Amino acid sequence: QWERLWFLILTLSFFLTLVWFYFWWEVHNDYNEINWFLYNRMGYWSDWSIPILVTTAAGFTYITVLLILALCHIAVGQQMNLHWLHKIGLMTTLITTVVTMSSIAQLWDDEWEMVFISLQATAPFLHIGALAAVTALSWLIAGQFARMEKATSQMLMFTAYLAVVVALYLVPLTISSPCIMEKKALGPKPAIIGHRGAPMLAPENTLMSFQKAVEQKTYGVQADVVLSYDGVPFLMHDKTLRRTTNVEEVFPERAYELSSMFNWTDLEKLNAGEWFLQNDPFWTAGSLSRSDYLEAANQSVCKLADMLEVVKDNTSLILNFQDLPPAHPYYSTYINTTLKTILASGIRQQAVMWLPDAERQLVRQIAPGFQQTSGLKLDTERMREKGIVKLNLRYTKVTNEDVRDYTAANLSVNLYTVNEPWLYSILWCTGVQSVTSDSSHVLRKVPFPIWLMPPDEYRLIWITSDLISFIIIVGVFIFQKPATDIPFFSCRWRLGSIRTYNPEQIMLSAAVRRSSRDVKIMKEKLIFSEINSGVETTDELSLCSENGY
């Protein structure tokens, strides 16, 4: 009973660590967001993504090896005999996985949506992998089935295995992926908008970052605008300057002060590039050329006007604004001040996607050409009432049906932050018009969705895989246990079953409290196993016939 309990715990640990490993591998798209989230919680920057990934991979590998060894023991009719050190390691891995998964679910439940989105890209291939694994297990299941004494146990095992197999055969009925479609139905490639410029190639929200985005021929750029205490619009994502400048060195007593409470003359003294080379948030600093490395190290806080001068001729623009504290002298007029800066740059109004909800009517009057954009998910009627023509949402906030509905209403959807080619491919198949990305230099090189499969071709692969699996499983069960209604095969199977019992195993098992009938059966098997090597096949068959075995 204890051996069975430990095997159940091992199996549970395998599936939980598999899910956690899959989750953490797929959220690679959001590693920088996760690190930023933890930075806000703990107050200092550290790259937690790689240590967590390495630890997860090690735990999953350890549990997988233990499970394979346990299955090998079961296959030869032995107990697991799990060492106490492995029991401690198993329980530690299980508890750590459960606690970590629960923590992510509580702190950042939105991230679990990534699992369901990723299945749109991986489910067809995971199905084939799972089918291969369950088919391979048929040899072990059939062997156990043949060795079982009780018909009830045989039926329970066979029914459970059959249920799993049938479920896997029918899983494709539940798989829905936008990339299972005809090639002619594929829409245009989503436009790419550089998130704070090109933050993998240069420090975010700096002039160099936007220059790199223009060099990559991105459709547009996204920037975060703040107004200094003396009324100068500049670019900064965080509320403080700690993460992306050296404010702790230059103004240590003001390190935790809001960035909007600094005068521009003070902001000009800060370095906004060294942090990028030191922290290396995207693991790309080492790939910079010598000239780019030196340029990045000397970046300063960027004015909105300087950025507009770089992007105004060829690039669209999404502007996001930080709210100012009530004590700020421009608290009630920062929209007007920013609008003047934008219009004075000469950028086309149609190229500006205006995101803030504050003073939207005023903005529409002063700059009627701006594309009014909402950061909130609204229905189509509400968007028309407010004059909104575009949505800017996180990719987890919309479904495939939402995108189709917005497109049918002639409304555009931009999703952020999309960094991985597989996610970009899924959104491409869905029909998304544009995405905001940290890796514009990578996505621009994606010429076609990673995979695209016509429905008829997918159904053919699905049915073929199921048929091959079914034939293999039936063949394995026939080979392991021939039909008992044929005397020759019945006799051979029963004697074959006797040979699978090791005398030492039988003696050990007999030591366990059992019924007298079970002990008698094992003694008979022990006798047969001892004399088996000296008995000819014809004698065995004769013995079968005469004694009814």
Side-chain angles (χ1 to χ4, degrees):
Q1 291 178 351
W2 281 108
E3 287 293 318
R4 290 177 181 176
L5 177 61
W6 280 112
F7 182 75
L8 289 175
I9 294 174
L10 179 58
T11 305
L12 176 63
S13 300
F14 171 77
F15 284 109
L16 286 178
T17 54
L18 175 62
V19 171
W20 176 242
F21 180 62
Y22 176 83
F23 166 80
W24 199 253
W25 181 266
E26 291 300 334
V27 298
H28 182 271
N29 182 84
D30 299 333
Y31 278 175
N32 192 59
E33 286 186 39
I34 293 171
N35 288 330
W36 183 78
F37 175 80
L38 295 174
Y39 165 79
N40 287 331
R41 287 269 177 173
M42 297 181 295
Y44 63 92
W45 179 269
S46 182
D47 188 353
W48 293 92
S49 55
I50 296 303
I52 293 176
L53 179 63
V54 171
T55 305
T56 301
F60 174 68
T61 303
Y62 172 68
I63 295 298
T64 302
V65 171
L66 282 184
L67 182 61
I68 291 173
L69 291 176
L71 291 175
C72 290
H73 276 257
I74 293 172
V76 297
Q78 297 180 0
Q79 296 182 352
M80 287 197 307
N81 295 322
L82 201 61
H83 194 272
W84 65 269
L85 284 176
H86 288 310
K87 292 178 180 178
I88 293 175
L90 174 60
M91 293 305 299
T92 302
T93 304
L94 176 60
I95 293 171
T96 303
T97 303
V98 171
V99 170
T100 310
M101 293 174 70
S102 301
S103 300
I104 290 292
Q106 292 178 2
L107 296 175
W108 203 359
D109 58 338
D110 187 45
E111 197 62 25
W112 282 102
E113 293 293 331
M114 165 62 87
V115 175
F116 301 104
I117 295 174
S118 68
L119 288 175
Q120 297 179 28
T122 60
F125 308 100
L126 291 177
H127 167 247
I128 294 177
L131 199 60
V134 171
T135 303
L137 280 175
S138 63
W139 183 269
L140 175 62
I141 299 296
Q144 288 294 105
F145 181 86
R147 283 194 291 268
M148 283 183 172
E149 299 283 343
K150 299 179 179 179
T152 305
S153 300
Q154 287 182 325
M155 286 303 299
L156 285 175
M157 172 177 282
F158 183 77
T159 302
Y161 181 69
L162 181 64
V164 172
V165 171
V166 172
L168 274 177
Y169 287 168
L170 300 179
V171 155
L173 292 174
T174 66
I175 294 177
S176 176
S177 173
C179 288
I180 300 178
M181 63 185 302
E182 299 292 343
K183 292 181 179 180
K184 61 182 179 182
L186 182 66
K189 181 178 180 178
I192 301 171
I193 296 173
H195 186 226
R196 306 171 200 167
M200 288 190 179
L201 305 178
E204 66 178 56
N205 277 327
T206 61
L207 198 60
M208 178 184 178
S209 185
F210 293 103
Q211 289 170 340
K212 289 292 184 183
V214 172
E215 291 174 8
Q216 295 297 322
K217 295 182 172 56
T218 58
Y219 169 76
V221 294
Q222 179 269 336
D224 305 286
V225 181
V226 190
L227 209 64
S228 68
Y229 197 76
D230 52 353
V232 177
F234 68 97
L235 308 181
M236 184 64 54
H237 175 265
D238 296 4
K239 291 185 178 297
T240 68
L241 301 164
R242 292 180 59 244
R243 182 175 66 90
T244 57
T245 71
N246 61 341
V247 66
E248 291 180 325
E249 298 175 9
V250 182
F251 304 110
E253 71 285 354
R254 303 179 66 187
Y256 288 88
E257 193 172 327
L258 295 177
S259 61
S260 58
M261 303 305 285
F262 284 75
N263 286 321
W264 177 248
T265 52
D266 293 334
L267 292 169
E268 284 185 306
K269 299 175 184 178
L270 301 176
N271 182 289
E274 289 180 347
W275 73 273
F276 174 77
L277 303 176
Q278 293 171 359
N279 295 337
D280 196 9
F282 296 100
W283 321 297
T284 53
S287 63
L288 298 180
S289 65
R290 179 64 178 171
S291 59
D292 284 347
Y293 191 92
L294 294 175
E295 185 180 356
N298 291 298
Q299 289 300 297
S300 58
V301 178
C302 181
K303 281 184 179 180
L304 173 62
D306 294 338
M307 183 271 285
L308 290 171
E309 192 63 30
V310 171
V311 306
K312 66 179 182 180
D313 294 327
N314 303 307
T315 308
S316 297
L317 178 65
I318 296 181
L319 291 178
N320 198 9
F321 287 75
Q322 272 191 31
D323 294 331
L324 300 180
H328 196 283
Y330 289 87
Y331 174 73
S332 59
T333 59
Y334 76 97
I335 294 291
N336 282 356
T337 304
T338 307
L339 273 175
K340 290 178 182 178
T341 303
I342 297 172
L343 296 176
S345 70
I347 190 171
R348 294 180 302 107
Q349 290 191 18
Q350 292 76 13
V352 178
M353 290 171 267
W354 187 265
L355 194 56
D357 278 329
E359 304 290 346
R360 197 179 285 276
Q361 286 297 114
L362 174 64
V363 173
R364 189 178 288 112
Q365 293 173 7
I366 298 175
F370 283 6
Q371 297 184 57
Q372 295 299 320
T373 306
S374 175
L376 299 174
K377 186 178 178 180
L378 304 172
D379 57 57
T380 56
E381 293 183 4
R382 184 83 181 276
M383 291 176 67
R384 289 195 184 95
E385 290 174 2
K386 300 181 69 173
I388 294 171
V389 297
K390 197 178 190 73
L391 283 177
N392 184 60
L393 303 171
R394 194 171 192 268
Y395 66 88
T396 56
K397 297 297 185 182
V398 294
T399 63
N400 300 341
E401 291 74 20
D402 292 333
V403 173
R404 285 194 286 268
D405 291 342
Y406 288 130
T407 302
N410 201 27
L411 298 170
S412 182
V413 178
N414 178 72
L415 301 182
Y416 64 88
T417 306
V418 179
N419 298 326
E420 292 297 309
W422 72 262
L423 180 56
Y424 183 68
S425 299
I426 288 293
L427 298 178
W428 186 347
C429 295
T430 303
V432 170
Q433 287 79 20
S434 62
V435 300
T436 301
S437 176
D438 294 321
S439 58
S440 56
H441 63 295
V442 174
L443 299 188
R444 67 185 291 265
K445 297 177 182 178
V446 178
F448 201 73
I450 289 180
W451 68 271
L452 191 69
M453 192 181 302
D456 291 341
E457 183 178 330
Y458 174 64
R459 281 192 288 269
L460 178 62
I461 294 175
W462 162 30
I463 294 172
T464 303
S465 302
D466 286 356
L467 284 175
I468 293 174
S469 170
F470 178 76
I471 292 171
I472 292 174
I473 291 174
V474 171
V476 166
F477 269 85
I478 292 176
F479 181 82
Q480 289 274 24
K481 182 184 176 183
T484 56
D485 56 340
I486 304 177
F488 172 79
F489 286 113
S490 174
C491 171
R492 190 181 69 176
W493 170 62
R494 293 179 180 180
L495 284 177
S497 300
I498 291 172
R499 296 188 191 105
T500 62
Y501 278 81
N502 183 283
E504 181 181 356
Q505 178 190 352
I506 296 172
M507 296 300 293
L508 287 173
S509 300
V512 182
R513 184 178 299 174
R514 294 176 180 269
S515 66
S516 59
R517 178 179 178 276
D518 291 340
V519 173
K520 183 177 180 180
I521 291 173
M522 283 188 279
K523 286 180 179 179
E524 293 175 352
K525 290 177 178 177
L526 179 58
I527 293 171
F528 275 103
S529 65
E530 288 175 343
I531 67 174
N532 184 52
S533 58
V535 180
E536 296 296 331
T537 304
T538 54
D539 295 335
E540 292 177 344
L541 294 176
S542 175
L543 185 64
C544 280
S545 175
E546 294 173 1
N547 296 333
Y549 280 91

